[in-house]
Amino acid sequence: MPVVVVESPAKAKTIEKYLGGDYRVLASFGHVRDLPPKDGSVDPNDDFAMKWEVAADSRKHLKAIKDALKDDQTLILATDPDREGEAISWHLLEALSPALKKGAAVNRVTFNAITKTAVTEAMANPRQIDQPLVDAYLARRALDYLVGFNLSPVLWRKLPGAKSAGRVQSVCLRLIVDREMEIEAFKAREYWSVHARLATPGGAEYDATLVSLAGAKLDRFDLPTAEKAAMAVSAVASRDLRVTSVGAKPATRNPWPPFMTSTLQQEASRKLGMGAKACMSAAQRLYEAGLITYMRTDGIDMAPEAVHAARDAIRAKFGDKYVPSSPRMYKNKAKNAQEAHECIRPTDMMLSPDRLKVTADDQRKLYDLIWKRTIASQMEAARMERTTVEIASPDAQVGLRATGQVILFDGFLRVYDQGRDDDDGEDSARLPAIQQGEAAKLVGKAFEAEFAKAREKDDPVPAAPAGQRAAPGLLLNDTAAVAARQHFTQPPPRYTEATLVKRMEELGIGRPSTYASIVTTIQDREYVRKDKNRLIPEDKGRLVTIFLTKYFPRYVSYDFTADLENELDEISAGDLVWREVLGRFWKDFSKALEGTSELRITEVLDAIDDALAPHLYPPRADGGDPRVCPVCGAGRLNLKTARSGGAFIGCSNYPECRYTRPISAPDGEEAVGDRILGEDNGDPISLKTGRFGPYVQRGEATEENPKPPRASLPKGWNPATLDLDRAVQLLSLPRPVGHHPEDGELIEAGIGRFGPYVKHGSKYANLPDVEEVFTIGMNRAVEVLAAKQTRGRAAAAAPLRELGDHPSGGAIQVMNGRYGPYVKWEKVNATLPRDVTPEDLTVEQALELITAKAGKSPARKTASKTAGKTAGKTAGKTATKKATAKKPAAAKPAAKKTGAAKAASSKA
């Protein structure tokens, strides 16, 4: 029967269900070949010849396919419908060529969804491998190899601790580093806004904001200080107010288009907290199960039959009024849209999330998101009314505005509303019925609750004039009817995975199949860390970015990277020759590499230090030299690298002066370096900074005492505020708590490698807080130790049955285990057969099971030890003798391994 090859077993299972027994469906388990991770795999001097190697794990999969082809020489390659899928098919054909006889039929089929209709139609319309798509893959793979395997060694030699560079990953890292430096250079600007709580003649309340003062329109920064805000509060509070106009405007909101890869990752991050990698993994499983269309796509258009199915589903579930008069059509706005794929949508529009038979929580949630977005994209627009109320004083010196909106028809919002990133949103407050010309009365005590909450803050309190009250960030008139709120402009937000993918898409960097791997790679290499879903560059990530920007500016340029992606797209369209693109790239890139060959590490650090100078050494408030060491006053501050790959600012007078500070937070950082904290029992107690951070020391190192007592500062302790008492406490650890009431053995409290602890003999128990080390008493220590012992040693499970003693000694028991009942004797556990119940098991049957289990040749080292002990104990028994008497065959010498190591993952 014809052999169909796909990437994964899950996809194979689904397709086999649709094709029936007329085809044999096998999985390649992804790529079967890759470039060996060594020099020479791509040879620019031989027209970019590429040496491919079959991965060790792939050999068995290829063998299975070759064996199947012996019976039928019809090969159907049904990998994914994109550039990467085309490449997998090409690799399969190249690797299987020796097994294919002359005249063998080889066809390529693709389908955007794994449904019976799509698969059947694809099988009826086979084609040949699309060579331009393969060429685009070859160009990308060669580019990534040439950049990664030529640029990374430069980093290793010139920048200690750097791990690697990649054609797209380094540009993505630059985005994050540039944003962080924007944030650190940002200077907040203060401004105030004034608000009033008003009431209609009927008593209905609403809020309004001051928009004009002294007859002039207020801009954002027209109230820059508390003093000016206080004057505005007085102006509003001292005047009668009246409604001058009420305007209501109809508005509509249209639905968002269905998902493509980038928007799916963004929404999954916002609404489900999924990272890009987790999102694509869940989507892959939904696709392979035939529940959604292909999930790596730049397209937002939907097949006509899917549009009609969505409209039918809307009509059936929500009624005719939610179905627009004509289908909605969407046009892709993304740069460099790859192959023309459909959007990501359910394959069956009538399969609502509540009817989905999927147990995995991440898949259910993601399907719910995809279904709602798809259905909403074909629904009627939401209709609303936006109301604007203008209020003014009779002398026109004060003007306020109240806004609100009312949804008249929810339309698509009944199903789906898109999330937002770093967006204040729009004013959707409901307003009461307000008439033009009516009085607007100030409502007393309106802001009392807000005032009480503000007073709990420790921030500075502005001065309040007569007739007003002040709290941190807030001013009120005495009746609390008018409030002024303090604001500060905010720096641009750090990227989340969602906003980073969105920005890459806007710049034309990366493609749907690479977004997740790029974002994951820069985190795996510890260039970036994720904190509360925000991406923050590590010091080594900053250094790599500055190095590449300084010495390889073109290759971390956003425009250059996007243009190169454009050329790859032109190759896939057959408009460019891939080797010519590589030739132009390599000509310039190799020259840039040669330009760094003579660089010394000190030169690189000096260049990076100069490039980062405005960021690392901001002007001092006193006008002094920002590079002068704040501890010794004589040394100069400069950039240094640690063996770990991190970087810091240190004094040039090291080791005499050990002042250091991190490169990522120079502003407001207090000087931290060697200093004497005081004396204790005649010994100087000093604070020092070492390779592993700050520590305290008693006395000084001498020939007689080369290692005086030291103690590292616990996490969370600020070296700048450390005093003598705390240092002495730290040096006195471990601290004796007392003798245990049961055995009289000493209990101690201390700080170890894994944090604070109490110790009783050889038993340790962690403490939740460092401070408890200095205060813990006997009762608490005994309680913590007892709790640890209870947690660490689970109560032994009671046996289901006791069968008596084994002939060699020791009880035979029937136990209930995780995988069902089993017989237990000494270290031997033998699972009961399915047809034997614990109640019916006899002693003879139990002995047979134990003997069989003990006599098996174990595969693992631990099992081997168990079997050896068992054999020794039962040496006198006939059954055991039979099991152990047969000598194992002499071990054959291990076969020499062939082939190179598994190829490294391609660099993004």
Side-chain angles (χ1 to χ4, degrees):
M1 60 184 71
V3 179
V4 180
V5 184
V6 296
E7 297 94 334
S8 73
K11 185 175 177 181
K13 185 177 179 181
T14 307
I15 291 174
E16 197 166 38
K17 178 176 66 177
Y18 296 137
L19 294 179
D22 295 334
Y23 295 85
R24 186 168 182 186
V25 186
L26 298 174
S28 70
F29 291 80
H31 277 283
V32 294
R33 302 194 310 174
D34 202 355
L35 297 171
K38 60 184 180 183
D39 288 339
S41 294
V42 178
D43 188 355
N45 298 320
D46 187 16
D47 203 17
F48 300 97
M50 303 169 78
K51 298 177 183 176
W52 300 101
E53 179 179 85
V54 175
D57 291 345
S58 298
R59 289 174 191 152
K60 59 183 178 182
H61 307 310
L62 276 175
K63 185 178 183 302
I65 299 169
K66 288 177 181 178
D67 290 344
L69 287 170
K70 290 177 182 177
D71 299 327
D72 192 324
Q73 287 277 297
T74 303
L75 175 63
I76 300 171
L77 301 168
T79 52
D80 286 344
D82 62 359
R83 193 181 297 170
E84 205 71 18
E86 206 72 20
I88 292 174
S89 286
W90 176 78
H91 276 301
L92 280 166
L93 181 57
E94 292 287 308
L96 293 171
S97 291
L100 294 171
K101 298 175 184 177
K102 188 175 181 180
V106 179
N107 288 310
R108 172 87 169 102
V109 299
T110 58
F111 29 80
N112 193 51
I114 305 178
T115 61
K116 186 173 181 61
T117 302
V119 171
T120 304
E121 184 178 344
M123 298 297 282
N125 296 280
R127 61 172 173 80
Q128 296 303 301
I129 287 177
D130 188 331
Q131 193 57 45
L133 274 186
V134 175
D135 290 346
Y137 159 80
L138 293 173
R140 182 191 65 79
R141 191 69 190 88
L143 283 169
D144 291 343
Y145 174 90
L146 291 171
V147 172
F149 279 85
N150 288 282
L151 194 52
S152 295
V154 175
L155 282 176
W156 302 335
R157 291 192 298 267
K158 311 301 181 185
L159 204 60
K163 290 189 176 181
S164 68
R167 183 178 63 87
V168 183
Q169 83 181 43
S170 297
V171 181
C172 180
L173 175 62
R174 182 186 172 184
L175 279 170
I176 297 169
V177 171
D178 284 353
R179 174 60 58 88
E180 192 70 16
M181 295 182 71
E182 276 185 72
I183 293 169
E184 290 168 352
F186 179 82
K187 301 298 181 185
R189 187 173 175 184
E190 180 183 4
Y191 64 99
W192 290 72
S193 60
V194 177
H195 309 269
R197 180 72 52 80
L198 305 173
T200 65
E205 297 179 5
Y206 57 98
D207 287 340
T209 301
L210 183 67
V211 292
S212 65
L213 184 65
K217 179 184 175 183
L218 276 180
D219 289 327
R220 187 182 191 185
F221 298 107
D222 284 349
L223 300 178
T225 63
E227 291 76 16
K228 290 200 172 185
M231 291 172 59
V233 168
S234 297
V236 175
S238 62
R239 283 172 167 78
D240 293 330
L241 300 170
R242 189 167 293 276
V243 176
T244 57
S245 70
V246 179
K249 290 184 178 180
T252 59
R253 278 180 63 186
N254 290 314
W256 289 271
F259 283 130
M260 55 182 172
T261 302
S262 59
T263 53
L264 176 64
Q265 290 177 8
Q266 291 162 39
E267 269 302 77
S269 174
R270 282 189 288 250
K271 289 189 172 177
L272 306 179
M274 278 187 182
K277 184 177 180 180
C279 169
M280 295 311 291
S281 176
Q284 177 86 35
R285 296 196 294 275
L286 289 172
Y287 165 68
E288 290 175 347
L291 295 170
I292 64 170
T293 53
Y294 192 54
M295 67 288 162
R296 293 188 180 96
T297 173
D298 282 337
I300 56 174
D301 62 311
M302 199 186 303
E305 60 271 19
V307 172
H308 293 303
R311 289 168 62 84
D312 290 342
I314 295 165
R315 187 175 289 107
K317 197 166 183 68
F318 305 108
D320 287 337
K321 65 179 181 178
Y322 285 91
V323 182
S325 58
S326 59
R328 294 186 177 276
M329 306 301 292
Y330 296 96
K331 186 178 179 182
N332 194 13
K333 295 180 181 178
K335 285 185 181 180
N336 307 327
Q338 199 176 274
E339 290 72 51
H341 291 150
E342 202 182 340
C343 64
I344 304 171
R345 61 167 178 83
T347 54
D348 180 1
M349 299 295 181
M350 298 301 290
L351 183 61
S352 55
D354 57 308
R355 295 175 51 228
L356 187 69
K357 294 179 181 178
V358 170
T359 56
D361 189 55
D362 58 341
Q363 293 179 53
R364 283 191 294 101
K365 289 180 178 178
L366 195 65
Y367 182 85
D368 180 79
L369 200 63
I370 294 169
W371 185 87
K372 287 179 177 176
R373 174 87 165 217
T374 306
I375 292 295
S377 72
Q378 289 298 324
M379 290 179 74
E380 188 62 86
R383 295 192 299 275
M384 55 200 69
E385 186 177 75
R386 292 195 176 119
T387 304
T388 302
V389 180
E390 302 288 350
I391 304 107
S393 60
D395 59 4
Q397 291 296 297
V398 168
L400 297 96
R401 179 178 297 147
T403 59
Q405 92 179 3
V406 177
I407 294 179
L408 304 175
F409 174 65
D410 54 2
F412 75 94
L413 292 175
R414 179 167 177 179
V415 175
Y416 176 87
D417 192 8
Q418 179 171 287
R420 296 185 178 91
D421 282 300
D422 313 307
D423 184 6
D424 293 334
E426 55 190 342
D427 187 1
S428 58
R430 297 291 297 269
L431 293 174
I434 301 172
Q435 301 297 323
Q436 182 174 339
E438 69 181 25
K441 184 181 178 183
L442 291 169
V443 179
K445 298 184 179 181
F447 299 101
E448 287 289 5
E450 184 180 350
F451 185 77
K453 189 173 181 180
R455 291 185 65 180
E456 297 173 3
K457 299 177 184 176
D458 295 329
D459 298 334
V461 178
Q468 294 185 24
R469 293 175 285 161
L474 190 67
L475 285 168
L476 297 185
N477 71 324
D478 278 345
T479 63
V482 183
R485 297 184 182 122
Q486 185 184 36
H487 308 276
F488 292 94
T489 53
Q490 296 299 308
R494 289 188 174 107
Y495 286 112
T496 62
E497 287 192 5
T499 54
L500 181 62
V501 168
K502 182 179 180 181
R503 184 62 180 144
M504 289 168 65
E505 181 191 26
E506 290 170 351
L507 293 171
I509 297 169
R511 287 296 178 266
S513 60
T514 62
Y515 292 139
S517 62
I518 292 167
V519 175
T520 301
T521 298
I522 58 176
Q523 293 177 66
D524 290 345
R525 292 185 177 153
E526 298 178 337
Y527 289 158
V528 170
R529 73 179 186 276
K530 189 156 70 169
D531 183 22
K532 296 178 181 176
N533 208 33
R534 298 285 174 173
L535 297 172
I536 305 171
E538 298 283 14
D539 288 347
K540 66 178 70 173
R542 289 172 182 260
L543 294 185
V544 166
T545 296
I546 298 301
F547 174 83
L548 294 176
T549 306
K550 177 74 176 176
Y551 296 106
F552 298 91
R554 185 183 185 195
Y555 303 99
V556 287
S557 159
Y558 303 138
D559 289 342
F560 175 79
T561 306
D563 289 343
L564 202 51
E565 295 284 5
N566 268 334
E567 291 190 326
L568 292 175
D569 290 339
E570 289 184 55
I571 293 170
S572 67
D575 297 331
L576 284 178
V577 178
W578 69 280
R579 283 189 169 90
E580 292 179 1
V581 171
L582 287 177
R584 289 194 297 270
F585 174 87
W586 180 250
K587 181 180 178 181
D588 295 332
F589 184 63
S590 57
K591 288 180 181 177
L593 289 170
E594 290 170 6
T596 62
S597 59
E598 301 300 321
L599 279 175
R600 301 172 63 87
I601 292 177
T602 52
E603 289 180 69
V604 171
L605 286 180
D606 288 345
I608 295 175
D609 198 38
D610 289 341
L612 286 173
H615 159 70
L616 297 178
Y617 316 107
R620 289 184 174 175
D622 60 4
D625 185 350
R627 280 187 179 261
V628 172
C629 176
V631 171
C632 69
R636 302 268 307 162
L637 300 182
N638 50 51
L639 184 67
K640 299 177 182 291
T641 57
R643 293 181 184 176
S644 62
F648 60 93
I649 304 301
C651 179
S652 61
N653 279 345
Y654 177 87
E656 288 75 19
C657 178
R658 292 176 177 265
Y659 168 74
T660 63
R661 63 168 167 78
I663 71 170
S664 52
D667 291 342
E669 187 84 21
E670 294 191 44
V672 178
D674 291 5
R675 70 178 193 270
I676 302 296
L677 299 174
E679 286 194 4
D680 179 65
N681 292 334
D683 294 324
I685 306 298
S686 55
L687 170 68
K688 296 176 180 289
T689 303
R691 178 181 171 189
F692 301 106
Y695 64 93
V696 290
Q697 178 175 297
R698 178 181 289 277
E700 293 296 335
T702 62
E703 289 186 8
E704 296 78 19
N705 185 22
K707 293 184 178 180
R710 294 174 177 174
S712 295
L713 265 63
K715 187 177 181 180
W717 282 29
N718 186 354
T721 59
L722 187 73
D723 58 21
L724 177 63
D725 291 340
R726 296 291 273 170
V728 171
Q729 277 186 320
L730 200 56
L731 287 163
S732 68
L733 297 178
R735 165 181 160 263
V737 177
H739 296 279
H740 198 287
E742 293 181 4
D743 57 14
E745 194 166 358
L746 183 66
I747 298 177
E748 294 178 321
I751 301 172
R753 180 181 175 188
F754 302 107
Y757 66 86
V758 286
K759 175 177 176 284
H760 173 228
S762 61
K763 299 183 180 74
Y764 288 81
N766 293 332
L767 293 172
D769 186 5
V770 169
E771 296 302 322
E772 202 169 3
V773 170
F774 306 105
T775 60
I776 191 168
M778 179 59 67
N779 290 338
R780 168 69 174 153
V782 171
E783 177 189 337
V784 171
L785 287 163
K788 172 66 182 294
Q789 190 169 359
T790 302
R791 289 194 303 271
R793 189 181 302 163
L800 299 176
R801 283 183 65 196
E802 296 276 2
L803 297 178
D805 289 338
H806 193 279
S808 297
I812 302 175
Q813 299 171 321
V814 183
M815 310 295 292
N816 189 23
R818 181 180 177 187
Y819 302 107
Y822 64 93
V823 178
K824 179 178 177 63
W825 170 66
E826 297 289 345
K827 299 286 186 180
V828 181
N829 296 333
T831 303
L832 265 63
R834 290 186 179 181
D835 57 346
V836 178
T837 64
E839 295 78 15
D840 298 334
L841 184 70
T842 64
V843 176
E844 290 75 15
Q845 289 174 313
L847 287 171
E848 288 178 9
L849 291 170
I850 291 168
T851 302
K853 181 70 174 179
K856 281 186 179 179
S857 176
R860 293 178 298 182
K861 188 176 180 181
T862 53
S864 178
K865 290 180 180 177
T866 301
K869 291 180 182 177
T870 305
K873 289 183 180 180
T874 59
K877 298 298 169 186
T878 304
T880 309
K881 282 180 181 177
K882 288 180 181 178
T884 58
K886 188 177 179 180
K887 292 183 180 179
K892 293 180 181 179
K896 188 175 181 181
K897 290 185 178 179
T898 59
K902 184 179 178 181
S905 58
S906 62
K907 290 179 174 55

